[in-house]
Amino acid sequence: MNDNTVSTFELGDALATRFGNTLTGVFVPGSKIALSAYRHVKWNSRDVPSETAGQDPVLIYLAQETTLFDEPVLRSLLAESNITFATLQELGQRAPRAEYLRISHMYRSVVRASLERLEHAKKSPEVQMDEERQQRISETVIVFYAAECLWHLFEILYMQQSQLIVPQLLDWARFYAPQIEDRATDFLLMAEEASENDDYWNVLKSLVMVGALDVTRAILRQNRKASQPAFKAAELILASMPVYKEGFPLKKFNSQWEHWHVDAERKIRANTFGSEPELEQILQLVTGSNEHWDAGIKESNEWYEFLPGYLFYTKPTCKPFELKIAAANWLNRWTLLRPCSQLNNMARMISQLMEHDLRLFIYDTQRINDTNWLTTHMIDLIYHSGELKSYFEQNNIDLPALRHSMIYEYGSYLMSTRSLWQLGIDYLDCCKQEGKAAMELLLPRISLRSDRHALKLMSVARKRGLIDVEQEICKVLSRQSFDDERYGNALEWGIRSKDVLLVTGIADFILKNYSQTGNMLCPDVIVHIKSRMFISPRLVFLSKYFEFYELYRSRDFLAAVELLVNLLNSKITPDYFWPSLLIDTVPLLESKDPKIFSNETVAILHHLETELVPIIERNTDKLGNQKNAETVFKDYRAENIDEILNILRLACARNLARSLVIENTSPES
Amino acid sequence: MSFPTVSSHFVSEKISAVRWLPEQLQQSDRFVTGSWDMDQNFVRLYRLQSNQYADTNVDFVPRCNDKVAIEGDVTAMEFADKNTLAVSCADGHLSLLNMQRAVEEDQLQRTARSERLHYFKRTNKSSPCTDLSVYGGDIATVGEDGCVNIMNASNIKQVKRTIEADSMSLLSVCYISQQQLVTANRMGVIRILDARASTAAQEKISIMVGSKDEKRSNFVSALGTHPMQHHILLCGTEEGTITVWDLRNLQFPASYLSAHESAITDIAFHRNDPSKVFTAAEEGEVWMWSENKGIGDRNLQDGKSAWLSGDRLRSLVNVDGVLTRIRKAINSFDMNGPRLICGGDTEAVYLVDNIF
């Protein structure tokens, strides 16, 4: 991607082209943009249908950033790196350096495992059939291969303790240029035959230039002419080359190195290898002859390919800070020799790393098409390990803020992507209030697949103290169940939501339904509500009334009466339920053997006159005369409210008389 | 005694259910997983292979041999017989998959799919089928519509009985005998149903699990019975507590134990060694509860399980963390001899060898 090219897309919407090709866009959750045709309307434009109204449909286009993570195989990368990320957060900022190096290794092995899986998937018959997916996997492999390569180099240069970087750089370069080693393996297997191969010497030269000296020697020993003096002398020089080891006194090494160098050059000058010009070229490379290396550069594909090798032969004790100069020089040399070749992104980023230009490096990593996977995790690691702290301070980069924003973006991306939400949570968890706020917005947007799914979301929200989210989810589900006429389910969700109004509404519905039809909805749920009823007075009333209803049905009349009188006195009876409640007293009042005492009968009568009658009057006032009050109070057992009043009054009077007689004639105890 | 070894394998899927393939005479080295919350959900058949990379201490690596795409989230899986797997799905259907064991590549095939078993009556929308239980050849499924459907594995197109058990979502079901099953709903109410009786003829037997806060709902998320003494019922709840019922005495729970800090997702006795109980939790834990042989002797002499010993239970069982700090839900596990396999929302399967 180039800086100056802005990618353009063509929609070709018929409606939009009609009006000067204008579009309007709105951001919708999940980093999408909704585009639709737009016509500019001013204060003075007339509000009439346009002349072409109805000819073209209004289409809404959703534009979304493409992401490689659509590929199912790549999910393991996200899931595994998520675990490593969490481990790092637990590690904090004070762990020993080796721990951070281990984390870095873990991240890289995650990428490598995914690359292996991708390669494997690419070969599966399922993917072979699907060209688009194959293409996508290939792209993904390239992106993450580069990411791993860069991370590896970063790790060598900035994460490890060792000041000795050349051997690691050699390994690094060799790992990312496997073709040379593959050829070398072929040669080793072919043994003597290999020497006749056309590019025998070219491969050997490349091998030397990537610093694979042992392999070179092994191949040379298998040469047909290996027993000739020239080859023997070469072997001697190669074998005696001193290799710097950590902890070895530098001065002593340098003198050994100098001695070996002088000796080797002397042998070459003495024309020891005159009979074998190709062999001589190899030794020239080993002794660091500029002329021969220049020839090698011209052969190379990437500027960094032979740099570690060159350092190996010319500056084996190179320190990280010296690499900066060496790399710059080498890059200059490379561009001079190959003026027409351009640096690709990866080559540029490698040079940025080697030249300690991390600012640009971080800038460039953000443009890799990996939805910022690399940048986020790398910056987080830098932040925790405390390496490069001074660099960022000198360059005025606020590392904590950078990390925060990267993690926030990455976490939000995961949260808003279907089925990755659980991973996103861990990232947003480290973003303090902003993360919490983002979760509060994004969690309720996740479409609920089932109760289990909802319960999982709720436990996530509850653990983070996002009570509103939890209750929101419950409310939505309660509403849905209610619309599905699953009242028991709605009631339970309502109780979970702790929303008094919602629960009251559902309880009202159940009570009204009962008073109109005589059917109690979802009795199996109401009976188990128990102490959860205290969320709403209406629910308390419902539960208690249900208790009465059950007692009455099981013919435990005395207990039923007690409960009923309590309910009448409770002051939580909803207005609309008074008729039903009072009608319930009629059979008890009228039963053959009296069940209600005189005092209670008086209470019933009292309620009748002070509660029911005023309500009726109020309603009649409100509705006027054209509509009768009975339409408001509909109980399935009575057609006319006046009739009810009469029956009730009579029943009360009869029972009062009866009970007074019984109470006053019963033998005193 | 050898120490348990744990290895994790990332599978790029959220796992909702995992089961070992039953083997008669040998250690099973095949297992099936079902996924949920993915764009496309699968049941996959894995086989353990010896690890090719010698440098790690992981002995086995699972390799996917075959897969079958399922229409919605897989909610539960159970083997109806040696080669037949019953799979319940969130679109309200039940499927039967057949395994063919082979030397090289095992095969997995869907042989039957039921009619829509669970749906909401008013809107006629599918309701998720949430759990299933198998007894002999019978399969019972429960759904969010509150119904229980019973059919025979030989013909799942024909539903033998539908019981409208609850007016709330049912989350779990478990056979306790050929005729009886228990269901659990979201409020923590457990009902004992007669598989032979119609809805109207059901005796209304229900029990309720306790909860720490009486004013909160506490759903039963997992049920498990003792493999020999079917009257012992374990209930794992939303709060992470375990309630044990002796189904011969429904007056009060036999034991009550607070265990995990989060909802229990799966609970089971070890099939061959019922002195071990395993629990998995939403926050990524798998624990093993083992009966403390020494102290409990007197109690165990009469063949009574330690799990029925009420308040003394805590002193009669030891708890060990098999897996801890996974941080995301472990949704399902299964044991086979000394091996345990589990899977969850970390998109990995964990293979634990030598658990005891």
Side-chain angles (χ1 to χ4, degrees), chain A residues 11-70:
Chain A
L11 277 179
D13 182 60
L15 190 64
T17 40
R18 233 182 256 289
F19 296 104
N21 213 0
T22 46
L23 288 168
T24 178
V26 189
F27 275 106
V28 286
S31 336
K32 289 180 196 148
I33 307 173
L35 297 166
S36 59
Y38 172 76
R39 187 166 68 129
H40 191 56
V41 177
K42 280 184 294 198
W43 62 273
N44 56 356
S45 21
R46 296 204 40 200
D47 191 15
V48 287
S50 65
E51 52 276 22
T52 55
Q55 287 185 9
D56 295 308
V58 180
L59 298 173
I60 298 170
Y61 303 86
L62 275 182
Q64 193 177 12
E65 215 182 315
T66 57
T67 165
L68 293 172
F69 293 121
D70 289 337

Side-chain angles (χ1 to χ4, degrees), chain B residues 81-322:
Chain B
D81 63 45
K82 192 165 165 276
N83 292 318
T84 314
L85 179 73
V87 178
S88 65
C89 173
D91 67 352
H93 293 261
L94 175 79
S95 300
L96 288 186
L97 307 184
N98 187 270
M99 328 269 145
Q100 275 172 352
R101 294 167 168 85
V103 181
E104 282 295 320
E105 292 284 298
D106 298 340
Q107 282 183 348
L108 190 62
Q109 229 170 12
R110 169 137 59 178
T111 48
R113 183 164 187 247
S114 70
E115 304 294 323
R116 193 170 60 163
L117 298 171
H118 298 276
Y119 61 96
F120 299 127
K121 293 214 169 47
R122 200 187 79 84
T123 47
N124 203 22
K125 269 190 308 191
S126 299
S127 132
C129 178
T130 50
D131 198 9
L132 68 92
S133 179
V134 172
Y135 195 98
D138 283 353
I139 305 172
T141 62
V142 290
E144 285 181 14
D145 58 349
C147 290
V148 180
N149 284 299
I150 298 163
M151 63 237 100
N152 195 283
S154 56
N155 180 12
I156 58 166
K157 292 269 180 211
Q158 190 193 359
V159 178
K160 288 208 299 194
R161 187 167 296 289
T162 301
I163 306 169
E164 289 172 25
D166 212 306
S167 54
M168 201 187 295
S169 292
L170 291 173
L171 289 178
S172 197
V173 65
C174 189
Y175 265 106
I176 44 177
S177 71
Q178 181 85 47
Q179 291 90 27
Q180 276 188 309
L181 26 85
V182 285
T183 61
N185 75 6
R186 212 177 49 239
M187 208 159 64
V189 178
I190 295 166
R191 293 180 203 283
I192 301 168
L193 303 172
D194 189 335
R196 296 164 301 182
S198 65
T199 308
Q202 291 291 339
E203 274 183 80
K204 293 198 170 48
I205 310 173
S206 62
I207 45 181
M208 190 147 172
V209 292
S211 85
K212 287 179 194 159
D213 178 356
E214 289 290 320
K215 288 179 187 159
R216 282 190 76 101
S217 283
N218 181 23
F219 67 80
V220 173
S221 41
L223 294 170
T225 56
H226 194 285
M228 280 78 116
Q229 305 171 39
H230 285 300
H231 56 84
I232 303 178
L233 179 73
L234 299 177
C235 314
T237 67
E238 179 183 9
E239 288 173 345
T241 55
I242 303 171
T243 308
V244 189
W245 290 89
D246 181 347
L247 294 175
R248 298 168 302 187
N249 176 10
L250 296 177
Q251 308 257 270
F252 43 81
S255 314
Y256 175 85
L257 202 61
S258 31
H260 297 271
E261 293 288 304
S262 55
I264 291 179
T265 50
D266 204 354
I267 190 165
F269 280 99
H270 191 288
R271 268 188 223 102
N272 310 117
D273 178 5
S275 69
K276 305 271 191 291
V277 167
F278 292 85
T279 55
E282 187 73 29
E283 279 185 2
E285 293 159 328
V286 178
W287 290 359
M288 176 171 76
W289 307 75
S290 16
E291 276 176 32
N292 216 333
K293 292 262 159 55
I295 316 166
D297 273 345
R298 200 154 40 89
N299 199 1
L300 294 171
Q301 266 166 10
D302 52 358
K304 203 176 154 199
S305 168
W307 289 91
L308 295 181
S309 49
D311 288 344
R312 287 174 51 239
L313 175 58
R314 192 90 246 196
S315 61
L316 294 177
V317 290
N318 279 336
V319 61
D320 293 296
V322 179

Side-chain angles (χ1 to χ4, degrees), chain A residues 72-73 75-76 79-80 82-83 86 90 116-117 126 418-419 421-422 426 449-453 455-456 459 462-463 470 483-486 488-489 492-493 496 498 522 524-525 528 531-532, chain B residues 10 12 14 36-39 41 53 67 73 120 122-123 125 128 144 166-169 171 186-187 189 191 206 208 214-217 219 221 238 282-283 325 327-329 331 345-347:
Chain A
V73 182
R75 288 182 71 96
S76 66
E80 256 187 290
N82 171 267
I83 288 170
E90 277 172 24
E116 195 179 325
R117 277 196 198 107
E126 190 187 346
R418 212 184 79 65
S419 87
W421 58 275
Q422 277 162 318
D426 287 311
R449 294 163 80 91
S450 62
D451 277 8
R452 285 248 178 194
H453 190 189
L455 292 165
K456 263 183 203 285
S459 84
R462 194 181 321 144
K463 208 177 136 203
E470 189 189 350
D483 291 343
D484 281 350
E485 293 178 4
R486 301 161 60 214
N489 210 39
E492 206 274 344
W493 279 124
R496 277 178 187 264
K498 300 208 172 74
C522 59
D524 57 333
V525 173
H528 286 292
S531 45
R532 282 176 279 259
Chain B
F10 285 83
S12 294
K14 292 189 200 178
W36 78 285
D37 199 18
M38 306 285 298
D39 292 327
N41 292 293
Y53 301 103
K67 62 182 178 188
D73 294 348
F120 299 127
R122 200 187 79 84
T123 47
K125 269 190 308 191
E144 285 181 14
D166 212 306
S167 54
M168 201 187 295
S169 292
L171 289 178
R186 212 177 49 239
M187 208 159 64
V189 178
R191 293 180 203 283
S206 62
M208 190 147 172
E214 289 290 320
K215 288 179 187 159
R216 282 190 76 101
S217 283
F219 67 80
S221 41
E238 179 183 9
E282 187 73 29
E283 279 185 2
R325 289 153 57 83
R327 296 182 322 107
K328 287 198 174 52
N331 290 325
D345 295 343
T346 49
E347 306 188 11

Side-chain angles (χ1 to χ4, degrees), chain A residues 547-557 559-560:
Chain A
E547 217 172 292
F548 158 76
Y549 171 87
E550 288 285 88
L551 286 172
Y552 186 87
R553 278 169 31 130
S554 61
R555 311 190 69 78
D556 186 355
F557 294 118

